[in-house]
C-alpha cells in the first residue's frame, strides 16, 4: 500500500495521460465487441466535440493543479481534516479517502449542478450527447471543469487528503467515468451485482435518460453507495432509455463546439416533465 501511495504522490503527468488515453482506447474497442446500443452514427465524428472537451478539462485541471497540491500539503502540514484526525491503518485511510472524495468531488458536485439552474446550464452540455459512449465521460464545458475542481479541492480540504490519495482517486475516477459511460452491454446479473458497490454502465445510463425524474438520479461516479443511501438511486429497462435532454432537442452529439461553448449563456429551458412538481432554483 505504501508503494502505491508513494507512486501516486509523484505520478508524472505523462503517466496520468496514459491512464486517460488507455481507458478511452480500451472501452472504445470494447464498444465494437459488445455494444449496448447499435447506434446509427459516425463514431469518429461523434467523438470530435467530446475529445475537444476532454482536452479543455485536462487544461483546466493542469493550470489549477497547484491549488489542489497546496491545499493537500497544507492540511497534512497542519494536521487538518478528518483523515488527519483519525488514526487508521493505511489501507483503511485509502478506502475512506476514496469514498469521501468521491462523495464531494463527484456525487455532491453533480447533484448541485442539477439543482441550481446557473450551474445546470454548464452541465447541460454533458447531457446533450444523444449517443452516449466512453468519449462522453469528459464532455464537460470548461466552466463545469472549474466547478468540479472547486468541489474536489473542497473535499481535499475538509477531509485532509494526502496528495497520494488525491492522485489515486482522480486516476480511478477517470477510468470509472469512462467505464460507466461506455456503450457496452454487461450480462444483466453481473451489472446488477456490481451496481451494489460501484456505478455500473446500466446504472449510469439511466441518468442520461432525456426526461425527469430519471435525469435527476444516479449521480455517482465510482461508488453507488451515495445514491443508495441518499435516495437518488433508480433503475429502468435499457430498452426504454432515450439519450439527450427533452427541452434541448436542437442540441445533440454533433452540435459544433462553438454552439456548445455558448450554450450556458442562453435562456434556461425548464424540464418539461418536472414543470408541474419540480423546478430548479
Amino acid at each position: 500500500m505504501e508503494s502505491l501511495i508513494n507512486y501516486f504522490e509523484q505520478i508524472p503527468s505523462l503517466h496520468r495521460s496514459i491512464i486517460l488515453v488507455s481507458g478511452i482506447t480500451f472501452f472504445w474497442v470494447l464498444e465494437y465487441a459488445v455494444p449496448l446500443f447499435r447506434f446509427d452514427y459516425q463514431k469518429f465524428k461523434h467523438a470530435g466535440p467530446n475529445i475537444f472537451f476532454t482536452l479543455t478539462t485536462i487544461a483546466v485541471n493542469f493550470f489549477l493543479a497547484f491549488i489542489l497540491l497546496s491545499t493537500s500539503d497544507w492540511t497534512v502540514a497542519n494536521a487538518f481534516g478528518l483523515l488527519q484526525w483519525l488514526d487508521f491503518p493505511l489501507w483503511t485511510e485509502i478506502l475512506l479517502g476514496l469514498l469521501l472524495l468521491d462523495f464531494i468531488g463527484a456525487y455532491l458536485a453533480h447533484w448541485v449542478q442539477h439543482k441550481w439552474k446557473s450551474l445546470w446550464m454548464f452541465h447541460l452540455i454533458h447531457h446533450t450527447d444523444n449517443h452516449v459512449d466512453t468519449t462522453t465521460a469528459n464532455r464537460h464545458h470548461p466552466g463545469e471543469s472549474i466547478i468540479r475542481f472547486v468541489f474536489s479541492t473542497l473535499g481535499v480540504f475538509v477531509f485532509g487528503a494526502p496528495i497520494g490519495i488525491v492522485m489515486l482517486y482522480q486516476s480511478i475516477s477517470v477510468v470509472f467515468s469512462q467505464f460507466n459511460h461506455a456503450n457496452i452491454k454487461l450480462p444483466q446479473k453481473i451489472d446488477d451485482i456490481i451496481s451494489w458497490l460501484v456505478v455500473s454502465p446500466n446504472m449510469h445510463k439511466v441518468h442520461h435518460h432525456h426526461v425527469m425524474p430519471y435525469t435527476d438520479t444516479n449521480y455517482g461516479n465510482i461508488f453507488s453507495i451515495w445514491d443508495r443511501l441518499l435516495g437518488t438511486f433508480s433503475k429502468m429497462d435499457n430498452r426504454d432509455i432515450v439519450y439527450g435532454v427533452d427541452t434541448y432537442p436542437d442540441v445533440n452529439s454533433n452540435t459544433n463546439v462553438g454552439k456548445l461553448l455558448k450554450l450556458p449563456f442562453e435562456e434556461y429551458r425548464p424540464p418539461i416533465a418536472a414543470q408541474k412538481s419540480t423546478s430548479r432554483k
Side-chain angles (χ1 to χ4, degrees):
M1 282 294 181
E2 285 188 16
S3 59
L4 177 70
I5 292 302
N6 288 338
Y7 167 73
F8 278 99
E9 279 180 353
Q10 303 178 41
I11 183 171
S13 297
L14 175 61
H15 291 194
R16 296 185 67 189
S17 299
I18 290 174
I19 291 172
L20 185 149
V21 173
S22 298
I24 289 179
T25 303
F26 174 76
F27 293 116
W28 178 286
V29 173
L30 201 59
E31 288 174 340
Y32 282 106
V34 285
L36 175 62
F37 297 115
R38 295 191 179 277
F39 294 133
D40 181 18
Y41 76 137
Q42 294 177 290
K43 195 171 176 67
F44 282 89
K45 182 178 180 181
H46 163 261
N50 295 350
I51 297 300
F52 171 82
F53 286 113
T54 297
L55 294 175
T56 61
T57 298
I58 292 171
V60 168
N61 283 280
F62 177 80
F63 284 112
L64 297 178
F66 75 95
I67 298 176
L68 198 67
L69 176 61
S70 299
T71 301
S72 176
D73 287 347
W74 184 89
T75 63
V76 172
N78 292 275
F80 180 86
L82 185 62
L83 294 178
Q84 300 300 319
W85 299 331
L86 300 175
D87 185 19
F88 284 145
L90 181 58
W91 72 267
T92 307
E93 182 180 350
I94 293 172
L95 179 58
L96 185 59
L98 294 177
L99 276 165
L100 295 175
L101 289 175
D102 187 53
F103 172 66
I104 287 188
Y107 180 92
L108 186 60
H110 200 172
W111 181 86
V112 167
Q113 289 181 94
H114 276 254
K115 298 306 174 184
W116 284 322
K117 66 180 183 182
S118 57
L119 301 186
W120 163 252
M121 293 301 291
F122 285 98
H123 182 53
L124 175 63
I125 287 175
H126 182 69
H127 280 268
T128 56
D129 194 337
N130 51 19
H131 296 103
V132 174
D133 65 16
T134 192
T135 68
T136 310
N138 292 111
R139 181 186 168 102
H140 300 305
H141 191 282
E144 178 179 2
S145 297
I146 294 174
I147 294 166
R148 286 178 174 268
F149 181 87
V150 169
F151 275 88
S152 294
T153 304
L154 176 63
V156 171
F157 177 74
V158 171
F159 300 127
I163 196 62
I165 293 179
V166 175
M167 292 295 103
L168 174 61
Y169 161 71
Q170 290 195 335
S171 298
I172 294 175
S173 180
V174 164
V175 175
F176 260 89
S177 186
Q178 294 166 346
F179 165 63
N180 55 48
H181 283 89
N183 181 40
I184 56 176
K185 183 177 183 179
L186 298 181
Q188 188 60 52
K189 286 187 177 180
I190 293 179
D191 195 286
D192 287 342
I193 290 171
I194 66 174
S195 72
W196 281 96
L197 177 62
V198 298
V199 178
S200 66
N202 284 359
M203 175 181 168
H204 190 70
K205 297 303 189 300
V206 174
H207 178 76
H208 280 271
H209 188 49
H210 70 140
V211 295
M212 297 277 279
Y214 295 102
T215 311
D216 279 4
T217 62
N218 298 359
Y219 296 109
N221 184 41
I222 300 177
F223 299 102
S224 61
I225 183 175
W226 304 120
D227 282 298
R228 292 183 179 275
L229 286 177
L230 299 172
T232 53
F233 176 81
S234 69
K235 294 180 67 173
M236 69 181 297
D237 193 312
N238 284 332
R239 292 171 295 184
D240 297 327
I241 293 176
V242 177
Y243 293 138
V245 181
D246 57 350
T247 51
Y248 291 84
D250 54 322
V251 184
N252 57 47
S253 301
N254 295 321
T255 299
N256 67 65
V257 168
K259 180 176 176 63
L260 292 173
L261 286 170
K262 293 185 291 185
L263 189 61
F265 310 103
E266 295 181 0
E267 184 178 357
Y268 167 70
R269 308 175 199 171
I272 295 173
Q275 282 181 334
K276 293 183 179 180
S277 58
T278 305
S279 61
R280 302 183 195 276
K281 295 181 182 179

